[in-house]
Amino acid sequence: MKKFMLGNEAVARGAYEAGVSVVSSYPGTPSTEITETIAKHYDEIYSEWAPNEKVALEVAIGASFAGARAMSCMKHVGLNVAADPLFTASYTGVNGGLVVCVADDQGMHSSQNEQDSRLTAIAAKVPMLEPADSAECKAYVKRAYELSEQYDTPVLLRLSTRISHSQSLVESEERVTPPRGAYVKDAAKYVMMPAMAMKRRHYVEKRLDDMRAFAEDCEFNRIERNSAEVGVIAAGIAYQYAKEVFPDASFLKIGMIHPLPSDLIRQFAASVKKVYVVEELDPVIENHCKVLGIEVIGKEIFPNIGEFNAAQLQRAVYGGAVDSYRIEEPIPGRPPVMCAGCPHRGTFYVLKKLGLVVSGDIGCYTLGALPPTASMDVCVCMGASVGMAHGMEKAGGEIFTKKTVAVIGDSTFIHSGVTGLINMAYNKGGGTVIVLDNSITGMTGHQDNPLTGLTIKGEPTRSVDLVKLCEAIGIERVVVADPFDLDGFERVVREETASDAPSVIIARRPCALLKNVKYGGAFAVNNACKNCKACMKLGCPAISAKAGGVAIDAAQCNGCGLCTRVCKFGAIGGAEA
Amino acid sequence: MTTSIMIVGVGGQGTLLAGRILGNAAIARGYDVKMSEVHGMSQRGGSVVTCVRYGEKVYSPVIAEGGADVILAFEQLEAYRYLNYLKKGGGMLMNTRAIDPMPVITGVAEYPGDIPGKIKNAGARVVAADAFAAAVEAGSAKAVNVVLIGLLAAETEIPKDVWMNAVEQTVPPKFLEINKKAFDLGYHLR
């Protein structure tokens, strides 16, 4: 029976059916549900959250060397972190099959940049498959393991937000038990030092040639013959949009994005009068066509920024405007906000009040950059806050000296902030790092991490002691503070930024969405309110200033009580007030 | 013929679950179905969109401007925001609940008045209902999403019992009775 599955759930199902036995990943939208599904539904597979994508891929590589089928999943920027092991695993090849799933985020729904992972596949010289719906997600994963073992290579599976987070129908099949690769000690293959690596370097090129030949006649690339007037070359989600815009055209649907099938493309292009290449982000297929001397229409009419949709492609090809209802009135935006009861709100309220330069990081708390707290100056990538704060301090000047803090989430700190802190301690920095310890990986939807004391399966395990960790690095000033104790927290931040020594403030309060976090009932504004709007500076979504004065929305308020601490008139009380 | 239904609302309102009920109902009718969801950052109180498309063969999981046969809006401002996605002649089914976005909360923008009236004036067919009150009547304010699915169900050619099965199949068993009641109230809300 066919089941409705997210692309990510179908990838997980594919891993299960392919007999995968080890999966190690770091969460990142839109890739997270692959590993979550495996942990929840497929006990036959060992799964884990690693501290970062580099470690995750290294675990998967080790499992592959040991002979097991292995997988690692991440978002596009995570593949940058894992690029180092990937580029050399391309040389070693595999023992058990190794598949790396990478989910791009066209349109930056939940990312700090937009990058095209197909270029990483080309640079790493590893094959890449790109499914166009959930059924293909499952089928491609299974075939990817066969290819990985047949061609002795890691295989990249490229996903994107609209593939990972779209549901379509998938037929489930039985799990197979692949023969486990026998482990043979083979330094020439697995120990990459110059003399050995040079031999494998030649193998990599030979493998690419073999895979180019495979690409010409494989099930991933297919021609859908229709009108000879227009031909469309497309892959992944762009293929689905193009099918709606060009109902009569012939299609070359590419499922293997690297290496591309040159002869098949030539043959297809010769069979139609006009060729469109429809691909989101960079002109990868288009440039390949141009190198082959084939005239195609691509990025001169289709954007290289953001995601496509059928209406936009329609306009690009045929011109004209879509007939739809129009509104002239400006509509207020609805940017995401920190939840009611979010522990980060206290931290950013204090940082705003103190007017500090805040070097930020990746997570829910990046929302601290938005009004009204608007107290984040910079944010680049996972873990960068600590290094950047150190650099600002070393650059000196009165804006930064003793006025800069790094703000980083607990999971992000473990991911790659800790190395920045080691650098700060070692290189005699005097900065202040605030670790926002909300007891969970928040933004990606509550994954456990090395600080939570639970594994991906919710089993108790060892946990990192943040205080001892910072002390071991050489930080003598480590303070644990509650961000909802606004006065106390402010005092701690003042003291630590004033100090010449490097310091860490652990702002500890659990995420408001955790099941065990229970505050009392909703608060309400009483008639002591002077309408001073001090509470509005918190940016709580439950509090708004109406014509009749400030009001708390009981349906949204979770009773955290932070607003009662900024009200000087005692005008906020229990719901019965 | 593909039917395209867009569910819009504010992150945290339960649009995902509503989309899944709709998806399961369409599957039960034997359609090819695709659904696109939004996870990640916008789930933190941002504007969220779920698209469900069903028919003999569906390609894109996403609905483009002017492409939705029906929009089911969990919140007034979101109904207004996505009106240009409604096909000419399509129906806007909307909850009358208003949730202030941060620019309104901080006072840099104003929440537009009489949104249902303005959408009607633009020429669209509007069904506006207080799903929040119905959910409370059913036994939980959180059942707003299932009330709205009931409102939508009455608009489609999918029979009521197929919808009811989809509700049973999708919601947690613990809340089934409340949700069945919520669905029924929504079904007769117009």
Side-chain angles (χ1 to χ4, degrees), chain A residues 382-406:
Chain A
M382 290 286 288
S385 60
V386 187
M388 292 191 298
H390 179 68
M392 286 170 159
E393 186 213 341
K394 291 293 180 190
E398 61 177 326
I399 298 175
F400 302 107
T401 304
K402 296 193 175 179
K403 287 177 188 159
T404 303
V405 293

Side-chain angles (χ1 to χ4, degrees), chain A residues 340-342 345 484 509 519-521 523 557-565:
Chain A
C342 177
R345 182 167 285 110
F484 273 12
R509 183 169 275 263
Y519 295 109
F523 283 85
C557 175
N558 81 337
C560 79
L562 185 65
C563 53
T564 64
R565 301 176 189 213

Side-chain angles (χ1 to χ4, degrees), chain A residues 231-385:
Chain A
V232 177
I233 305 177
I237 191 65
Y239 163 82
Q240 306 290 4
Y241 304 142
K243 285 295 276 187
E244 301 205 338
V245 176
F246 299 97
D248 303 320
S250 291
F251 271 75
L252 172 53
K253 196 259 187 203
I254 303 278
M256 183 155 153
I257 213 73
H258 182 63
L260 285 166
S262 299
D263 288 343
L264 189 66
I265 291 173
R266 279 197 195 95
Q267 181 201 328
F268 177 73
S271 72
V272 291
K273 285 192 183 150
K274 190 151 88 170
V275 180
Y276 289 92
V277 176
V278 183
E279 58 188 325
E280 290 175 328
L281 303 182
D282 295 320
V284 173
I285 301 172
E286 179 179 343
N287 286 352
H288 188 84
C289 292
K290 286 180 174 164
V291 168
L292 296 175
I294 299 168
E295 207 177 296
V296 298
I297 302 162
K299 292 298 174 188
E300 68 262 43
I301 62 165
F302 304 125
N304 59 359
I305 298 174
E307 59 176 350
F308 289 168
N309 63 63
Q312 169 202 38
L313 297 182
Q314 185 92 22
R315 273 196 303 273
V317 176
Y318 305 107
V322 174
D323 189 24
S324 62
Y325 296 111
R326 297 280 156 194
I327 297 289
E328 301 305 326
E329 185 178 12
I331 297 177
R334 190 183 297 276
V337 290
M338 286 186 262
C339 306
C342 177
H344 304 326
R345 182 167 285 110
T347 301
F348 285 101
Y349 177 82
V350 169
L351 295 179
K352 164 99 168 180
K353 188 174 170 193
L354 297 179
L356 297 170
V357 175
V358 177
S359 174
D361 226 299
I362 306 285
C364 291
Y365 50 93
T366 316
L367 295 169
L370 301 179
T373 49
S375 46
M376 185 177 288
D377 289 69
V378 294
C379 173
V380 173
C381 69
M382 290 286 288
S385 60

Side-chain angles (χ1 to χ4, degrees), chain B residues 14-15 20 38 40-41 49 74 83 101 104 117 132 142 168 182 190:
Chain B
T15 50
R20 284 175 189 171
V38 177
M41 193 169 242
V49 181
F74 279 41
L83 179 61
V104 170
F132 184 77
K142 287 189 177 148
E168 280 181 34
R190 59 190 60 223

